Amino acid sequence: MQQLERLNEFKKSVNNKFNVYNSLFLNLPYRNIENVGMLIPLLLDQCKKGFKAGQNPQEILEAFFQNYANIESEEERIDFMFRIIQYVERQVVLYDSVEDAAFPKLQQHRRSLSIKDYFELVDKNKSWDKVSKKLSTFSARIVLTAHPTQFYTPAVLDIISDLRSLILEDRIDDIDITLQQLGLTSLINAKKPTPLDEAKNIIYILRHVYYDAVGDLYAYIKENIHKEDFENHNIVKLGFWPGGDRDGNPFVTADITKDVADELRVNLMKCYYNDLKQLQKKLTFKDVHELIKKLRGNLYMAMFDTKKTVTFNAIIEPLLEIRTLLVEKYHSLYLKELDYFIDKVKIFKTHFATLDIRQDNSIHKKVVEAVLKNNKFIKESIEELSEEALIDILIHKNIELNAKDYEEDIIKDTITNISQLQRIQDTNGEDGCNRYIISNSEDIFAILFVYGLFRWCGWSGKEITFDIVPLFETMKGMEAAEETMQTLFDLPEYRQHLESRNNNQTIMLGFSDGTKDGGYLKANWSILKTKETLSKVSDKNGIKAIFFDGRGGPPARGGGKTHRFYAAQTKNIANNEIQLTIQGQTITSTYGTKEQFIHNSEQLLTAGLSNNLFGKENVISRQDRKLIEELSDLSFEKYDALKNHEMFISYLENRSTLKYYQKANIGSRPGKRGNKKKLELTDLRAISFVGSWSQLKQNVPGYFGIGTAIKTFKDAGRLRELKKLYKDVPFFKALMLNSMMSLSKCYFELTSYMQQDEEYGEFWNILHTEYKLSKEMLLLISGSKVLMENEAVSRESIKIRESIVLPLLAIQQYALQKIGQKTSYKKEYEKIVTRSLYGNINASRNSA
């Protein structure tokens, strides 16, 4: 019943409104646009009919040009296709705005647990002591990344925000004008953004959405928790990767990292200044006037001059003094408003969000090798040393590093960056930058290289005020994780470092490269088992394990329904804190408005708390584990065979949009690691890998191998076991539901012409067969009639979004076909493919 009510609301507040406002696009002020808006519905209709009839994109488009658009010359056709792309991009923006505006109404018919619902449940169960104790220490850390799937400029984000407000009030004339503004505003970057540009785009959202959203959420919890002395300002923490994440991005330099740290601090000072300015209008009392005036002056200077900083104490102390005065002399007037501001200062301090540093292990190895060679510990290679000797050097030998002593840029910059981190902590506070994450960690040296470099860059003889965080993302890394961590815990020097970090060890487990490496089920099952193992080994050593999940937008990069994922974790996994990355367009689509941010942050908190406090704890029995293990091995076998197929990389390079990701001005990061001429899967970044499958509407990494695995069980007469597994084990069900989401976004009709391709026809058929089988088998074990049966609103949203971009997808494939035919307009068609990426990525919202 609730699902039906929600669907009806969706049709009223989203579908109907979009159709009404979409008609305004007929007046968009484009050059020669008069008939584009009227022709798009015709093109959509021809695409649907044509693909259903087995026609290829070239046949569909050329028939459309001839019979409907009456365009003969190739130049005019290319120009017309560009205008369709522009038009569709803006339709996607409008749809996003309509859907975001409807969010509060749709939440009235939700099934998910808000903090308010959760507190009512606590009240009913009389378990306030237990809950308030847990909430006093629990934390959710939301880490914002700038992976190249988020590229709206602040100007466009402002338009989206305006549209959202206008749609809520049904102000159709103003909506018309704003859509005209949108029509004349460029949606894409004229040139590739720098890492600083990317950081500024995300800081814009921090300042205009998250600053107040986190403050409001904290105030609500504090007011309703039944604990007078509640003070957990870390309950929702913000992390930040743009400007600190240099893994595979040569454009992130030490200077960029410093500039981003300054941007974060300066923008926070602007938030504080504006809040204080509003408070000053109310706190007009004689004894507080000078205190506020002085603090305002200090904040004002810190807003414009990065060399003039204000410490946390210099902000909080006058505010606490004002608070005392209000209580003692001014009848506690406006105390609530002042406390709200004080809490925000305690939450954000002087850093706004914690800037994480991340780099690939191979770079650290290269730097350490150069340092050891320069200091005569080795002649050429680090392999000359035994493990024991290398450990001894990294832990005990004192080396003074100077970046000027080295020629290679990456070595100089790594040393410069680690050397400057203490200065960043001096200006932004220790919370401003205190984590160093190592990608592709596979042994103890991944951690010890960084430990050694910190010692040699100025921390020798004193506490390293940084968490050193291994990122186990490959199957090899996860398999070795237990031994790696136990060996580290056994080292007295590393153990001493952990003691200085409150005996906390943060461990990151990555989904993106794990899925690329091991396939969907195998990767996720391996991550769960690794978490359980690392929880056990940490507990045994008296260490508190904190898991940091690398979660991308789509299921293939660890995304999908976040609440469902955390609620499905087993009782054997340490649950001290929830930490996850928010990537790409998920930042704006899932956390883009105040209402969305608060709702999704509440989902993280309630999922993490529910595991400990209510209902039966998630336990996967030995028998069920055996079943998942068997399925995991079977699906991996199928995926591994595909991955090693001689056409796998070639198909992606020559029949997908893979190489065009690099040409699009979406993000600063290159599409692959390294500069090898021949493309290898290990060098391919997960974003462009998963994104290319998404643009093909094949979404292979999100399900491939699952159909074959389930069919093997079915043929062995074991289907009942899998149905029970789906029903009884939340973790398994969550994975299968995510795969169904991936399957629901597939549209093999788009590329069905490839089955006739002499070179790739057989490979395309392998993909299509597994898609059909996976869909059939997942419906069978879930007992559903359609994919995403119990998520009618999400299903309807996907349907509308896919319909909006179908003409754009047809144009993309048409352009790829023309490029393959050695056209004289190759450059123009390559621009069409590149430009078509944007609208498709945005429409899917979690496509890459």
Side-chain angles (χ1 to χ4, degrees), residues 96-157:
D96 284 348
S97 303
V98 172
E99 201 168 63
D100 289 347
F103 183 82
K105 280 188 177 178
L106 289 171
Q107 286 313 107
Q108 292 169 10
H109 308 285
R110 68 180 181 269
R111 284 186 291 178
S112 51
L113 206 63
S114 69
I115 284 285
K116 184 182 177 186
D117 300 328
Y118 187 80
F119 283 171
E120 284 173 5
L121 197 56
V122 174
D123 221 18
K124 191 178 170 184
N125 291 340
K126 304 283 187 282
S127 48
W128 275 112
D129 288 348
K130 207 174 178 183
V131 169
S132 58
K133 186 180 176 185
K134 185 68 182 174
L135 271 174
S136 294
T137 58
F138 194 73
S139 176
R141 185 193 290 250
I142 296 164
V143 181
L144 307 161
T145 77
H147 290 325
T149 56
Q150 171 55 46
F151 47 82
Y152 280 145
T153 61
V156 176
L157 290 173

Side-chain angles (χ1 to χ4, degrees), residues 230 274 282 286 372 382 406 435 437 528 536 574 590 677 758 788 818:
F230 176 77
N274 289 332
K282 295 177 179 178
K286 181 184 173 186
L372 296 186
I382 212 165
Y406 301 87
R435 308 199 317 169
I437 299 153
L528 182 108
K536 190 177 177 182
T590 311
K677 283 189 177 177
E758 283 183 26
M788 300 179 72
K818 294 291 277 186

Side-chain angles (χ1 to χ4, degrees), residues 103 187 268 302 381 499 503 586 610 634 687 695 757 772 779:
F103 183 82
L187 266 68
L268 178 62
S381 168
E499 282 172 15
N503 281 319
T586 313
S610 297
L634 286 166
I687 288 166
Q695 295 277 331
D757 191 299
K772 287 193 297 183
L779 290 175

Side-chain angles (χ1 to χ4, degrees), residues 220-236:
Y220 182 84
I221 292 169
K222 182 180 178 181
E223 198 172 321
N224 292 276
I225 197 170
H226 289 216
K227 191 175 191 289
E228 282 185 22
D229 59 345
F230 176 77
E231 192 165 350
N232 176 12
H233 292 98
N234 287 324
I235 196 158
V236 175

Side-chain angles (χ1 to χ4, degrees), residues 284-484:
T284 51
F285 319 124
K286 181 184 173 186
D287 293 329
V288 303
H289 177 74
E290 281 304 316
L291 288 166
I292 291 181
K293 185 182 172 186
K294 185 181 177 185
L295 180 54
R296 252 189 87 172
N298 289 340
L299 291 173
Y300 187 81
M301 282 193 300
M303 281 163 52
F304 298 107
D305 188 345
T306 56
K307 292 188 177 73
K308 291 181 178 171
T309 58
V310 187
T311 65
F312 170 69
N313 284 337
I315 300 170
I316 202 69
E317 283 172 5
L319 290 175
L320 293 175
E321 195 177 336
I322 292 167
R323 190 184 193 283
T324 302
L325 287 167
L326 286 187
V327 173
E328 291 178 354
K329 297 182 73 171
Y330 298 106
H331 311 291
S332 297
L333 204 58
Y334 298 119
L335 187 65
K336 187 176 179 181
E337 288 86 341
L338 178 63
D339 279 346
Y340 176 68
F341 180 44
I342 287 172
D343 280 331
K344 284 206 275 191
V345 172
K346 288 182 177 179
I347 290 165
F348 298 113
K349 296 180 180 164
T350 52
H351 64 281
F352 217 160
T354 301
L355 180 61
D356 286 346
I357 308 299
R358 182 171 80 128
Q359 181 58 286
D360 191 80
N361 175 47
S362 61
I363 300 297
H364 301 133
K365 183 178 180 181
K366 187 176 190 173
V367 175
V368 169
E369 193 166 64
V371 169
L372 296 186
K373 187 179 174 184
N374 199 44
N375 286 273
K376 308 291 189 281
F377 286 100
I378 56 172
K379 289 180 180 176
E380 291 296 332
S381 168
I382 212 165
E383 315 302 334
E384 295 164 25
L385 297 167
S386 67
E387 280 197 11
E388 293 76 14
L390 182 54
I391 290 170
D392 182 58
I393 292 169
L394 293 167
I395 285 178
H396 297 122
K397 301 297 180 188
N398 290 327
I399 298 170
E400 281 191 25
L401 285 189
N402 189 332
K404 292 175 184 174
D405 295 339
Y406 301 87
E407 289 183 14
E408 198 172 341
D409 286 344
I410 190 66
I411 294 169
K412 288 169 76 168
D413 193 74
T414 302
I415 294 167
T416 302
N417 186 54
I418 294 175
S419 300
Q420 74 169 350
L421 294 179
Q422 183 67 65
R423 291 197 300 276
I424 290 175
Q425 286 191 345
D426 291 341
T427 56
N428 287 32
E430 190 179 313
D431 286 334
C433 187
N434 59 17
R435 308 199 317 169
Y436 200 114
I437 299 153
I438 307 125
S439 304
N440 283 308
S441 294
E442 293 185 344
D443 57 29
I444 60 163
F445 292 107
I447 294 90
L448 292 182
F449 286 152
V450 172
Y451 180 84
L453 287 170
F454 265 91
R455 288 183 58 249
W456 302 335
C457 287
W459 267 270
S460 185
K462 62 181 179 181
E463 286 179 4
I464 297 172
T465 52
F466 265 74
D467 295 331
I468 301 173
V469 182
L471 166 48
F472 299 115
E473 52 190 325
T474 62
M475 305 308 290
K476 182 183 173 185
M478 284 189 274
E479 282 161 15
E482 180 182 12
E483 185 186 345
T484 298

Side-chain angles (χ1 to χ4, degrees), residues 787-812:
L787 294 171
M788 300 179 72
E789 187 171 83
N790 295 319
E791 297 171 70
V793 167
S794 294
R795 200 171 68 237
E796 193 67 20
S797 177
I798 289 168
K799 184 180 164 187
I800 295 169
R801 289 176 177 279
E802 299 296 309
S803 185
I804 291 170
V805 295
L806 187 58
L808 203 151
L809 289 164
I811 285 170
Q812 184 184 88

Side-chain angles (χ1 to χ4, degrees), residues 259-297:
D259 290 345
V260 170
D262 287 342
E263 279 290 324
L264 283 162
R265 187 184 66 258
V266 162
N267 275 275
L268 178 62
M269 296 303 123
K270 289 174 183 175
C271 292
Y272 287 166
Y273 180 84
N274 289 332
D275 270 6
L276 192 63
K277 189 177 172 183
Q278 293 308 311
L279 263 175
Q280 191 175 21
K281 290 176 184 177
K282 295 177 179 178
L283 304 181
T284 51
F285 319 124
K286 181 184 173 186
D287 293 329
V288 303
H289 177 74
E290 281 304 316
L291 288 166
I292 291 181
K293 185 182 172 186
K294 185 181 177 185
L295 180 54
R296 252 189 87 172

